[in-house]
Amino acid sequence: MAIEQTLSILKPDATRRNLTGEINARFEKSGLRIVAQKRIRLTMQDAMNFYKEHEARPFYKSLCEFMSSAPVVVQVLQGEDAIAAHRKVLGATNPANADAGTVRKDFALSIDENSAHGSDSAASAAREISFFFSSLEIVG
Ligand code: CMP
């Protein structure tokens, strides 16, 4: 297994309900290390740029409205097999399908308000990390 970095976003439903510490504790307990972190408020345009790959999907506009509705915490997680390890801790995108004990099973309100985002591949992780962070801001 290789050491990887992946992008994590704690979404507006998580920041509104003051859940960022509880969710990050799950990541850290699983062995992932937070090597970059900032709390920001996305504009609608920022969200549209970030989720551009979904622009043809019916949920694109509501997803971008939601992601710009309150602050988010964007962070880089590092660890062994970090992309898959992070997604395992998160659980399925739709909380109705998420395994017991996962972040989305325990905290998500719906498929839209699903508390956290994680990169789904090495190519996505590289694009998504560089969308939010410069190399100077990532410190292991
Ligand atoms: P995320 O990992 O942030 O990537 C895109 C988001 O779109 C996803 O989490 C969900 O919150 C949201 N979404 C809403 N409807 C769907 C759907 N049918 N399939 C996938 N993602 C969806």
Side-chain angles (χ1 to χ4, degrees), residues 9 11 50-51 54 57 59 62-63 66-67 87 90 93 104 110-114 116-118:
I9 305 179
K11 295 189 178 187
F50 179 76
Y51 280 116
H54 293 306
R57 309 285 294 274
F59 57 82
S62 62
L63 169 65
F66 166 61
M67 291 300 290
R87 290 174 72 80
L90 291 179
T93 303
R104 285 166 174 155
S110 66
I111 191 169
D112 297 305
E113 299 195 51
N114 67 348
H117 164 83

Side-chain angles (χ1 to χ4, degrees), residues 12 41-45 47 63-72:
R41 176 80 184 255
L42 297 176
T43 64
M44 181 73 179
Q45 191 60 56
L63 169 65
C64 296
E65 284 169 351
F66 166 61
M67 291 300 290
S68 55
S69 67
V72 295

Side-chain angles (χ1 to χ4, degrees), residues 12-72:
D13 67 284
T15 61
R16 277 197 189 102
R17 290 179 291 153
N18 224 15
L19 291 172
T20 62
E22 274 192 73
I23 296 173
N24 276 335
R26 305 258 184 128
F27 298 154
E28 293 185 334
K29 278 187 189 133
S30 80
L32 292 164
R33 179 173 294 272
I34 301 168
V35 296
Q37 185 181 58
K38 54 193 172 192
R39 184 179 178 100
I40 58 175
R41 176 80 184 255
L42 297 176
T43 64
M44 181 73 179
Q45 191 60 56
D46 293 331
M48 289 169 71
N49 292 342
F50 179 76
Y51 280 116
K52 197 164 177 32
E53 69 185 292
H54 293 306
E55 74 185 334
R57 309 285 294 274
F59 57 82
Y60 180 62
K61 184 164 175 279
S62 62
L63 169 65
C64 296
E65 284 169 351
F66 166 61
M67 291 300 290
S68 55
S69 67
V72 295

Side-chain angles (χ1 to χ4, degrees), residues 88-134:
K88 190 170 175 204
V89 177
L90 291 179
T93 303
N94 186 343
N97 302 326
D99 289 339
T102 60
V103 166
R104 285 166 174 155
K105 185 69 174 183
D106 292 345
F107 300 117
L109 301 173
S110 66
I111 191 169
D112 297 305
E113 299 195 51
N114 67 348
S115 303
H117 164 83
S119 307
D120 64 4
S121 66
S124 296
R127 183 188 78 81
E128 293 177 359
I129 289 169
S130 66
F131 186 93
F132 289 111
F133 294 98
S134 77

